[in-house]
Amino acid sequence: MPTTAREIHKVLTFKSGNFVFSRRFDQDNIATELKVFHACYDIIASLPTPPHLAAFLDADLIRKSIFSTAALEGNPLDEKAVGALLGREGPATAANDFEREILNLKATHDKFILAANKAKDAKPLLLSEDLIKAVHAAITIGVNDAAISPGLYRNTPVQVGNPEHGGTYVPPKILEDIKTLMAAFVDWINSDALLRTDPVIRAALAHYHLAKIHPFRDGNGRTARMIEAMILAAAGYRLIPSTLWNAYYRDMHAYYIAFSKSENNADDSVQPFLEFFFKSLNASLEEFRARIVEGVKPLLYRDYVAYLKNQARELSPRQHQLVELLLAAGDTAFDSHDLRQTNPFKLLYRQVSDKTIRRDIKNLERLGLICKTGNRYRLIDDAR
């Protein structure tokens, strides 16, 4: 694997020796990964997404993502509890520190990522120490922990990781070294070489190196992932940035292993982290695609039903109304007895013969709008 000195930038610290900023990786491998990502993203971005479906996806995927990035750092609230907390009406209040962390993440996401999503022109996000401190402060503000100083660098040594997740890592230990490295990090990530790098790669490198410096007592992982998401959002990518957090959480062990392998690489290559990053990116794309398709299928089903009634004339008005009632009822199994005896169907069929009921059911089955399970019927999967 050919390398050049320009791929490595070393900064001498007082207590921790040389700290390496690296953009050394397998260029051919990552170039292929980038081509695959861009091709898949362009296809997914072109899928039809009605405004109400887009709004639902935004809320649902962001909820999952906030749960995931918090859970990575040990927040015990499950996804249902996170959803209930974020779904409350009125001013959000937290009953404990765990809820405060969730509300902070949502507020930080809205302030820094949604703002980037609304920008008309995609352009590289220039990082600054003040911006990184502001993100950290927003994530940790109000948490009742004396060890947390929102937006302030630490002045105590910490140890990261554990043997189960690839081993432990000791980041730079003292405030002077952290100040030196954060200044160097900002200069490096904003350098011409990094700004010319694909923003997908730049986002991953920012995530990795910020986590490696570990400048704060707590909240480093959440801050690094938020910064990564902000760079991607500024580059014009929607939903994928925070959806990455879901993939990181689902493969938590591999996430920490990727950090450990890159930190311990003899040639300072960040290939292990980038390989995991692209694996997670592909998982995020698939999740996004599946959610769009899942949301669009019922809309296509309704359009098809309307076509069968209005153009093909294969559905009677009553049969069309039955389909609409079934759609409103959700995943409901029924038989001919239900249509005559239960609400809301009996209002449609109370003055209709059993033969007509059977004919309506048979026609819906013939047209592939319903399917039979045992002795009962239900809408096909695409309708739900």
Side-chain angles (χ1 to χ4, degrees):
M1 179 176 66
T3 61
T4 69
R6 292 191 299 275
E7 296 172 349
I8 299 298
H9 176 57
K10 295 183 179 181
V11 176
L12 182 62
T13 66
F14 182 64
K15 288 287 188 179
S16 300
N18 278 318
F19 185 96
V20 175
F21 293 95
S22 173
R23 54 186 182 93
R24 177 175 289 173
F25 50 83
D26 186 327
Q27 300 287 337
D28 292 338
N29 171 267
I30 297 305
T32 300
E33 294 282 9
L34 273 174
K35 288 179 182 177
V36 171
F37 165 74
H38 286 302
C40 291
Y41 183 86
D42 289 345
I43 291 171
I44 292 170
S46 69
L47 292 175
T49 312
H52 72 281
L53 175 58
F56 170 78
L57 286 174
D58 280 349
D60 189 55
L61 290 175
I62 289 169
R63 170 183 55 78
K64 287 178 175 291
S65 299
I66 288 173
F67 157 74
S68 294
T69 196
L72 274 166
E73 307 302 325
N75 190 301
L77 296 182
D78 61 24
E79 190 175 332
K80 183 177 180 181
V82 169
L85 177 62
L86 297 180
R88 290 178 188 171
E89 295 184 1
T93 57
N96 53 54
D97 284 347
F98 300 126
E99 290 192 355
R100 171 49 54 199
E101 289 177 356
I102 298 299
L103 295 176
N104 284 353
L105 283 166
K106 179 62 166 62
T108 308
H109 178 278
D110 291 352
K111 179 177 180 180
F112 293 101
I113 296 180
L114 289 189
N117 283 337
K118 293 176 181 177
K120 293 183 180 180
D121 299 318
K123 56 184 179 181
L125 175 67
L126 295 179
L127 295 182
S128 68
E129 289 188 73
D130 286 343
L131 177 60
I132 295 168
K133 289 178 179 180
V135 171
H136 179 263
I139 287 172
T140 57
I141 193 74
V143 176
N144 187 27
D145 185 340
I148 298 176
S149 299
L152 298 179
Y153 297 149
R154 62 181 167 83
N155 193 25
T156 55
V158 294
Q159 182 172 285
V160 183
N162 58 60
E164 290 74 30
H165 290 307
T168 58
Y169 163 68
V170 178
K173 304 176 182 66
I174 62 173
L175 180 60
E176 287 78 5
D177 286 348
I178 290 170
K179 288 180 176 179
T180 297
L181 291 175
M182 287 301 293
F185 168 71
V186 167
D187 287 344
W188 178 75
I189 204 70
N190 292 335
S191 65
D192 288 342
L194 268 295
L195 291 177
R196 288 194 302 268
T197 300
D198 190 291
V200 175
I201 299 294
R202 182 170 176 256
L205 293 178
H207 176 179
Y208 171 76
H209 289 92
L210 188 55
K212 186 178 177 183
I213 297 171
H214 221 74
F216 307 104
R217 277 289 300 274
D218 189 45
N220 292 278
R222 283 165 285 166
T223 301
R225 290 188 291 274
M226 191 70 71
I227 293 295
E228 174 189 78
M230 289 164 59
I231 292 174
L232 290 170
Y237 297 106
R238 287 192 64 256
L239 293 184
I240 295 298
S242 51
T243 308
L244 261 171
W245 303 344
N246 300 338
Y248 294 156
Y249 175 69
R250 284 193 298 266
D251 210 356
M252 185 190 305
H253 179 68
Y255 176 60
Y256 292 120
I257 288 286
F259 273 109
S260 181
K261 285 184 176 180
S262 291
E263 287 158 0
N264 294 311
N265 248 353
D267 66 351
D268 298 313
S269 170
V270 291
Q271 181 71 19
F273 184 78
L274 289 182
E275 286 179 354
F276 175 77
F277 171 80
F278 275 101
K279 177 184 175 183
S280 302
L281 202 58
N282 291 334
S284 300
L285 285 173
E286 174 55 28
E287 179 180 3
F288 194 24
R289 183 205 64 79
R291 297 307 301 274
I292 291 176
V293 171
E294 180 184 350
V296 168
K297 284 195 300 184
L299 301 178
L300 297 177
Y301 178 91
R302 284 183 182 274
D303 285 346
Y304 179 57
V305 170
Y307 164 79
L308 291 174
K309 173 180 175 285
N310 298 323
Q311 278 78 44
R313 306 288 185 180
E314 294 201 57
L315 274 184
S316 70
R318 184 184 58 252
Q319 292 166 3
H320 180 264
Q321 193 170 352
L322 172 58
V323 172
E324 290 295 332
L325 290 174
L326 290 168
L327 286 167
D331 189 14
T332 300
F334 68 95
D335 57 19
S336 58
H337 175 79
D338 294 319
L339 297 186
R340 184 177 293 284
Q341 299 294 328
T342 64
N343 284 322
F345 310 110
K346 69 179 183 180
L347 297 176
L348 191 61
Y349 283 96
R350 61 186 176 183
Q351 296 181 341
V352 174
S353 69
D354 289 343
K355 182 178 179 180
T356 299
I357 293 175
R358 289 194 296 271
R359 185 175 66 238
D360 283 359
I361 291 174
K362 184 176 181 180
N363 193 44
L364 295 185
E365 187 178 20
R366 177 184 69 83
L367 293 170
L369 301 178
I370 61 174
C371 57
K372 192 170 186 180
T373 305
N375 295 322
R376 297 170 73 77
Y377 298 86
R378 65 187 343 119
L379 292 171
I380 62 171
D381 289 343
D382 283 358
R384 290 175 265 138

